Amino acid sequence: MTAIPNRDRAPRIATRLVAPMLLSAAIGSLLLAVPPLRGVATRIDRLHPAWVLIAVGLELGSCLGFVVIFRLFFDGVEARTARELAWTEQGSGALLPGGGVGALAIGGWLLRRTGMSTKSIVDRSSALFFLTSAVNVVALVGAGGLLAVTGGAGAFDLVRSGIPILGGLAATAAVLAIPILIRRSPHREWPEWLIDLAAGIDRARRSLRAPGWRLLGAAGYLGFDIAALGATFAATGHPLPIAPLVLGYLIGYLANLIPVPGGFGVLEGGLAGTLIAYGAPATQATAAVIVYHAIAFWIPSLGGLLGFALLRRRLGGGEPVAQRPTPSNRSVTSSATPPKYAASTCPKIGFAESA
């Protein structure tokens, strides 16, 4: 096990809070200063507190769902360390520009300090990413189908429901084609990152073929977060039907690809704009999204900062953190390279497991 470096060299995640706090203040100032936005500020002031508290509880449930599914793929890490790593990744995703990309980078950096090899980190992180993404695609296609059935027969309704369905199915086909392509040409010199990507996809598929209760964490991670957004809409007095809510959430979150700290401004615009396109009233949608984003930002951020502080203290003190996978879960998340990739991965340099 390698200890985490000293404070001067470790990433200063806490300092990342400064930019989101300034952006939050700027958004609040705009709501009060710009006349067309004052209606949004008034709507926020009149939110039902009980629904806001429910949204907070649902967001906490979403974070706990990620902890559960994280431990499915990183079962070789001691339980307390895995929980702290999961919270740290969520905090990084909320704080850093680019969301999940920054979270993967911080998570990989910390996992290396638990003694896990780079290959295993990439493999398992890819599997975690693809499994949670698969839940997103299922929700996207399901909500699109539900809207097609219940939203009417107009051309606009068919476009709003058909595009998400086609996009979700196309993305699924493209992802599933990667390991098939590599298996069909095992002697080709594939890029190492593509081989690891394919291994992660297959690891995610194996987890579905041997289902356990921790798979519920992936559904809870997404479902509770969408429900938190739905609760903030209910707080405005205008709850949304499930299909527009799910579609607006999943499509609107694409705005988070724009690298802004905390996603402030861009996520509000993406979510509110998409939800309005799916029938939400503009004022209520903007108010609900602003409150939702505040909740979805601060809960994982504060939990991540706490998890990171605990993790640094324990790893810096030289406490043991790694354990070998137990026989009961090795079949699902074994770190061994799947046989189908043996021909491609054995000649590669740097893929050997480290102690």
Side-chain angles (χ1 to χ4, degrees):
M1 183 208 69
T2 305
I4 281 188
N6 58 44
R7 294 179 180 271
D8 293 333
R9 296 180 59 191
R12 299 178 179 274
I13 295 181
T15 61
R16 297 284 183 175
L17 283 172
V18 176
M21 290 175 69
L22 293 175
L23 289 171
S24 298
I27 291 172
S29 299
L30 285 174
L31 292 176
L32 296 174
V34 180
L37 296 179
R38 288 176 185 168
V40 176
T42 301
R43 179 65 62 177
I44 293 175
D45 188 56
R46 296 176 180 175
L47 293 178
H48 296 289
W51 278 111
V52 175
L53 290 175
I54 290 172
V56 170
L58 290 168
E59 187 61 33
L60 181 59
S62 173
C63 293
L64 294 176
F66 182 80
V67 174
V68 169
I69 193 63
F70 182 89
R71 291 195 59 200
L72 172 67
F73 291 101
F74 293 94
D75 57 326
V77 179
E78 187 267 333
R80 183 171 59 168
T81 300
R83 288 191 290 268
E84 292 164 357
L85 281 165
W87 275 104
T88 302
E89 281 208 13
Q90 292 183 88
S92 302
L95 287 166
L96 300 177
V101 176
L104 289 174
I106 292 294
W109 178 80
L110 290 170
L111 284 164
R112 280 294 294 145
R113 273 131 188 94
T114 68
M116 185 174 290
S117 70
T118 301
K119 174 190 176 301
S120 186
I121 292 169
V122 174
D123 183 358
R124 293 166 185 267
S125 296
S126 298
L128 175 61
F129 171 80
F130 284 115
L131 181 63
T132 53
S133 297
V135 175
N136 289 4
V137 171
V138 169
L140 183 70
V141 173
L146 181 61
L147 183 66
V149 172
T150 62
F156 184 56
D157 290 308
L158 291 177
V159 169
R160 292 190 304 168
S161 60
I163 290 178
I165 292 174
L166 292 176
L169 293 177
T172 301
V175 168
L176 294 178
I178 294 174
I180 296 174
L181 185 64
I182 292 179
R183 282 198 299 269
R184 288 183 175 179
S185 302
H187 302 294
R188 180 175 175 177
E189 290 295 319
W190 296 102
E192 294 179 355
W193 63 267
L194 189 61
I195 294 172
D196 279 346
L197 202 66
I201 294 170
D202 269 359
R203 187 184 292 276
R205 292 177 60 186
R206 291 198 304 275
S207 71
L208 293 175
R209 288 200 296 264
W213 72 270
R214 289 194 180 278
L215 285 176
L216 296 174
Y221 178 48
L222 176 67
F224 285 133
D225 199 38
I226 296 176
L229 177 59
T232 61
F233 266 97
T236 68
H238 195 286
L240 276 187
I242 186 169
L245 177 67
V246 174
L247 289 169
Y249 171 96
L250 291 170
I251 298 172
Y253 247 96
L254 294 175
N256 232 17
L257 294 173
I258 301 174
V260 174
F264 281 94
V266 295
L267 184 58
E268 283 86 355
L271 282 176
T274 310
L275 289 162
I276 291 168
Y278 278 97
T283 301
Q284 287 88 341
T286 306
V289 165
I290 289 174
V291 175
Y292 158 78
H293 190 198
I295 294 170
F297 172 80
W298 286 108
I299 289 180
S301 294
L302 295 176
L305 289 173
L306 177 60
F308 182 66
L310 294 173
L311 190 62
R312 282 184 61 186
R313 184 176 65 182
R314 291 199 303 107
L315 293 183
E319 292 185 33
V321 295
Q323 60 182 22
R324 297 184 64 84
T326 60
S328 61
N329 55 26
R330 191 174 294 161
S331 61
V332 175
T333 58
S334 170
S335 61
T337 303
K340 66 186 70 176
Y341 293 114
S344 297
T345 59
C346 285
K348 302 298 181 181
I349 298 173
F351 272 39
E353 292 284 343
S354 63

